[in-house]
């Protein structure tokens, strides 16, 4: 069966130790490069054995690591819709490895696959082998899976405290937050049974005492009545079907009935209902949840009861840090609000705040209980107690900004045009599953740009393109997309990016245009930065003069 294993261009680049562009060059320059045996025009698949033979004939070092062989065989057993089931089965196999039950278990999918997996586990360890398969699964399903970023995972695990006892995650996904929490007993729930199987085996292979259920926690609470020592949660944002109609009057809604359009406030109260008095909750929330008018009643009740203790903006979302009030406990007088803080300072500020110490960023709750009850940290930055020093720092930064446009000349040449769609049909452009350095990213909310960092997964709503660098310059393409965005700059007027016009120009001319586009983008960024800094100067100046931290002077 091994000769039937297929690989993508990204797989070839990874195991061959080259960049994706090198594989594109091989396909273009060598007529005998193995033809695709499957996939699509933009994401072709190649026979693994054919690629191996081709590379060896040319003296190129190419040895597929054992883990990659396991993954390719596993993925080729069926379609991607059932891939989570197959990954979970590998976890079950590894969890029982070496036991009598394991010796008797059938290898009915592919006996050679299980032999390879056993060898891989012997070489790397059972847990490491399964973590490798889980990482590959996340890459393959980057559009469907929402995975909490590692820095956020680390921060959330620290904020619930060291060595927690029982830790619950009611929307645990693959179990990442539970694994990082360090809890003595880990309880998880996720709405997809096949994902819950993967998460369960990750926890088992890590040696954790655990329970796991595959059902939606809001509508089918598998831990009803249970109180954990701490709760961590990164729930799905903007769920449409979360049980609003059937959960009206649910006893978990101690702080108010969650509005239909605010399921995140249902998750907050679900988490609070499952933590002991005095226990901590760390939950990731969309930025809008701190200020939506429909949720102000619940936010107010959380503040008055002393349940919500801090809102910390990190990585384009908020962390709500809550503590379930103990009977007869006096509510705190301040809420900690931090906007994109230095991660190394959050832990200390949070601990001091919990102890009742007045720390920077702590706002009087009575000042927040207005008509809007807006708890967005960014909104309250202007109230910083160090507005005087901040004003001087921002002014120095503002004066250092020197926006400089590129030098452009008038041209009478009218180029012919093609479109993004036609370039994709011609194989000049492709749509990658993940983004690597040199790829172009665009969306209605973010101007197009060329990615320069390490490989990442992106939000499915973002368009991404990989160019053939010998025929289409990435910076040139980003500039054309940016220009198209000027035509329809808001989400209310959407454009079809595939119909975006792209001038037909020689590659060297494209590169010159790409450099000019890049300088224009930098000029735009500098203008925006200057405008934002100027507005911040006004806010800090008003605050400093009013509070006595600044005075008129030269």
């Amino acid at each position: 069966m091994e000769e039937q294993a297929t690989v993508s261009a990204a797989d070839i680049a990874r195991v061959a130790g080259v960049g994706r562009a090198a594989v594109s060059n091989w396909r273009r320059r060598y007529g005998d490069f193995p033809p695709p045996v499957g996939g699509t025009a933009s994401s072709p698949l190649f026979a693994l054995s054919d690629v191996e033979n081709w590379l060896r004939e040319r003296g190129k070092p190419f040895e597929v690591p054992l883990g990659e062989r396991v993954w390719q065989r596993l993925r080729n057993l069926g379609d991607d819709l059932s891939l989570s089931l197959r990954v979970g089965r590998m976890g079950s196999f590894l969890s029982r490895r070496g036991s009598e039950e394991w010796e008797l278990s059938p290898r009915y999918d592919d006996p050679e696959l299980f032999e390879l997996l056993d060898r891989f586990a012997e070489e790397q360890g059972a847990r490491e082998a399964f973590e490798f398969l889980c990482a590959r699964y996340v890459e393959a399903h980057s559009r469907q899976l929402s995975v909490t970023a590692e820095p956020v995972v680390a921060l959330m695990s620290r904020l619930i405290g060291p060595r927690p006892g029982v830790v619950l995650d009611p929307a645990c996904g693959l179990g990442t937050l539970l694994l990082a929490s360090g809890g003595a007993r880990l309880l998880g729930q996720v709405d997809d049974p096949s994902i819950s199987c993967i998460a369960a085996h990750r926890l088992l292979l890590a040696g954790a005492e655990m329970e796991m259920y595959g059902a939606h926690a809001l509508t089918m609470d598998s831990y009803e009545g249970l109180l954990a020592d701490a709760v961590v949660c990164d729930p799905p944002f903007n769920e449409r079907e979360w049980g609003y109609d059937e959960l009206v009057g649910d006893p978990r809604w101690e702080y108010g009935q969650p509005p239909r359009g605010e399921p995140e406030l249902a998750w907050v109260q679900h988490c609070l209902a499952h933590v002991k008095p005095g226990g901590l909750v760390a939950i990731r929330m969309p930025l809008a949840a701190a200020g939506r008018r429909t949720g102000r009643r619940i936010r107010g009740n959380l503040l008055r009861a002393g349940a919500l203790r801090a809102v910390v903006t990190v990585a384009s979302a908020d962390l709500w840090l809550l503590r379930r009030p103990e009977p007869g406990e006096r509510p705190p007088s301040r809420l900690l609000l931090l906007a994109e803080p230095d991660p190394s300072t959050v832990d200390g500020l949070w601990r001091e705040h919990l102890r009742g110490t007045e720390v920077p960023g702590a706002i009087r709750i009575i000042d927040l209980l207005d008509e809007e009850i807006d708890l967005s940290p960014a909104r309250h930055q202007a109230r910083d107690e160090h507005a005087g020093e901040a004003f001087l720092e921002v002014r120095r930064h503002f004066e250092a900004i020197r926006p400089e446009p590129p030098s452009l000349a008038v041209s009478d040449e009218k180029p012919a045009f093609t479109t993004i769609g036609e370039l994709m049909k011609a194989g000049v452009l492709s749509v990658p599953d993940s983004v690597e350095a040199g790829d172009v990213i665009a969306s209605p909310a973010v101007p197009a740009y060329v990615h320069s960092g390490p490989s990442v997964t992106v939000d499915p709503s973002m368009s991404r393109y990989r160019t053939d660098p010998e025929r289409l310059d990435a910076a040139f393409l980003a500039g054309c997309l940016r220009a198209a965005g000027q035509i329809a700059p808001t989400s209310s007027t959407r454009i079809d990016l595939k119909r975006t016009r792209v001038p037909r120009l020689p590659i060297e001319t494209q590169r010159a245009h790409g450099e000019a586009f890049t300088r224009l983008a930098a000029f735009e960024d500098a203008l925006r930065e200057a405008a934002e800094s100027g507005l911040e100067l006004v806010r800090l100046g008003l605050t400093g003069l009013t509070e006595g931290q600044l005075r008129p002077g030269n």
Side-chain angles (χ1 to χ4, degrees):
M1 293 180 63
E2 189 165 346
E3 67 275 11
Q4 298 176 354
T6 58
V7 288
S8 66
D11 295 327
I12 297 171
R14 181 168 53 233
V15 297
V18 298
R20 177 69 182 270
V23 179
S24 298
N25 288 336
W26 293 341
R27 292 184 64 195
R28 185 175 63 256
R29 292 171 56 192
Y30 299 104
D32 61 342
F33 188 88
V37 296
T40 64
S42 60
S43 300
L45 295 175
F46 307 86
L48 175 59
S49 58
D50 292 347
V51 174
E52 286 183 289
N53 292 334
W54 186 87
L55 289 169
R56 289 194 180 110
E57 287 173 0
R58 280 152 184 77
K60 300 181 185 294
F62 184 83
E63 186 64 37
V64 180
L66 186 54
E68 289 289 347
R69 290 186 179 277
V70 172
W71 171 247
Q72 297 303 334
R73 291 187 74 93
L74 175 64
R75 190 166 187 182
N76 279 272
L77 281 177
D79 58 39
D80 278 2
L81 293 176
S82 60
L83 184 56
S84 59
L85 294 172
R86 302 199 298 278
V87 173
R89 192 171 297 148
M90 298 303 101
S92 177
F93 176 83
L94 291 170
S95 297
R96 295 172 172 80
R97 185 172 176 268
S99 67
E100 182 178 344
E101 184 180 358
W102 173 77
E103 293 288 352
L104 298 175
S105 61
R107 276 53 162 178
Y108 50 85
D109 292 283
D110 179 353
E112 293 184 29
L113 168 62
F114 285 92
E115 291 177 12
L116 284 173
L117 181 58
D118 187 36
R119 284 171 48 200
F120 187 39
E122 185 68 29
E123 177 185 286
Q124 300 291 330
R127 179 184 181 184
E128 290 73 14
F130 192 55
E131 287 296 316
F132 174 87
L133 295 180
C134 289
R136 288 288 181 267
Y137 172 72
V138 169
E139 291 179 8
H141 282 263
S142 59
R143 298 185 184 184
Q144 291 79 31
L145 292 173
S146 177
V147 180
T148 312
E150 289 185 11
V152 178
V153 170
L155 178 59
M156 292 177 71
S157 65
R158 297 197 306 271
L159 293 175
I160 62 170
R163 297 181 299 279
V166 178
V167 179
L168 168 68
D169 184 346
C172 70
L174 295 176
T176 303
L177 280 171
L178 286 173
L179 280 171
S181 72
R185 183 169 173 236
L186 306 178
L187 311 177
Q189 186 166 351
V190 60
D191 59 354
D192 186 333
S194 62
I195 298 297
S196 73
C197 180
I198 297 176
H201 290 300
R202 288 188 76 196
L203 300 181
L204 285 172
L205 286 166
E209 180 185 346
M210 52 74 64
E211 289 182 42
M212 184 67 61
Y213 295 93
H216 196 289
L218 295 182
T219 56
M220 298 182 65
D221 186 0
S222 299
Y223 296 103
E224 186 173 357
L226 180 141
L227 298 180
D229 295 296
V231 178
V232 289
C233 190
D234 183 358
F237 292 174
N238 304 314
E239 279 185 298
R240 294 183 179 180
E241 302 297 330
W242 60 272
Y244 172 83
D245 293 319
E246 60 191 278
L247 295 175
V248 172
D250 191 278
R252 288 171 292 181
W253 312 150
E254 181 179 353
Y255 300 94
Q257 174 72 36
R260 185 186 297 273
E262 296 225 44
E264 297 85 9
L265 292 178
W267 284 106
V268 166
Q269 296 188 78
H270 175 87
C271 292
L272 276 172
H274 279 293
V275 70
K276 296 176 180 178
L280 299 178
V281 173
I283 180 171
R284 188 168 176 265
M285 298 283 283
L287 296 175
R292 290 190 190 114
R293 290 187 61 83
T294 51
R296 64 186 184 277
R297 177 170 172 267
I298 293 177
R299 292 195 301 272
N301 289 338
L302 289 169
L303 288 177
R304 294 183 186 95
L308 181 58
R309 295 298 190 90
V311 178
V312 183
T313 303
V314 290
S316 301
D318 283 337
L319 295 183
W320 285 26
L321 306 179
L322 304 103
R323 181 180 180 275
R324 183 169 179 176
E326 299 191 52
E329 183 178 45
R330 182 178 180 180
S333 61
R334 291 178 177 266
L335 178 73
L336 182 61
L337 297 176
L338 301 174
E340 298 291 355
D342 179 349
S344 64
T345 67
V346 176
D347 303 47
L349 291 173
W350 170 235
R351 299 299 164 200
E352 290 297 316
H353 176 66
L354 278 181
R355 284 194 284 266
T357 305
E358 192 169 321
V359 297
I363 306 296
R364 292 195 311 166
I365 289 176
I366 193 172
D367 293 333
L368 298 170
L369 295 174
D370 55 15
E371 184 179 350
E372 295 181 347
I373 313 183
D374 191 330
L375 309 182
S376 306
R379 174 175 177 172
H380 301 279
Q381 275 187 325
R383 301 181 185 181
D384 190 276
E385 296 178 358
H386 305 286
E389 293 86 347
F391 177 86
L392 298 178
E393 182 179 346
V394 173
R395 188 175 69 180
R396 286 192 293 269
H397 178 71
F398 176 79
E399 292 171 348
I401 300 172
R402 295 288 187 270
E404 185 176 341
S407 177
L408 301 176
V410 175
S411 172
D412 295 327
E413 298 180 7
K414 301 295 182 183
F417 289 88
T418 183
T419 65
I420 294 286
E422 292 299 323
L423 291 171
M424 292 175 69
K425 290 179 182 179
V428 179
L429 273 182
S430 62
V431 178
D433 292 329
S434 61
V435 174
E436 300 176 358
D439 290 345
V440 177
I441 300 177
S443 80
V446 179
Y449 66 96
V450 180
H451 181 64
S452 59
S455 298
V456 294
T457 56
V458 296
D459 188 288
S461 66
M462 301 185 79
S463 300
R464 52 216 179 273
Y465 299 105
R466 182 165 294 153
T467 67
D468 179 342
E470 299 300 321
R471 294 191 285 174
L472 182 61
D473 182 70
F476 172 68
L477 174 64
C480 294
L481 288 168
R482 231 176 145 99
Q486 298 295 322
I487 300 172
T490 67
S491 58
S492 62
T493 308
R494 301 184 62 87
I495 59 173
D496 182 357
L497 289 182
K498 289 185 179 180
R499 299 175 65 181
T500 300
R501 297 200 314 163
V502 179
R504 293 181 180 271
L505 300 173
I507 187 63
E508 292 302 324
T509 306
Q510 289 182 36
R511 288 168 181 158
H513 276 62
E515 183 177 350
F517 279 138
T518 301
R519 292 186 61 189
L520 275 172
F523 178 61
E524 181 183 14
D525 292 341
L527 287 175
R528 185 176 292 109
E529 185 178 2
E532 292 174 353
S533 295
L535 291 173
E536 182 68 6
L537 272 177
V538 173
R539 287 194 295 267
L540 290 170
L542 291 171
T543 300
L545 288 168
T546 302
E547 301 295 332
Q549 299 165 23
L550 292 170
R551 60 178 175 79
N554 296 327

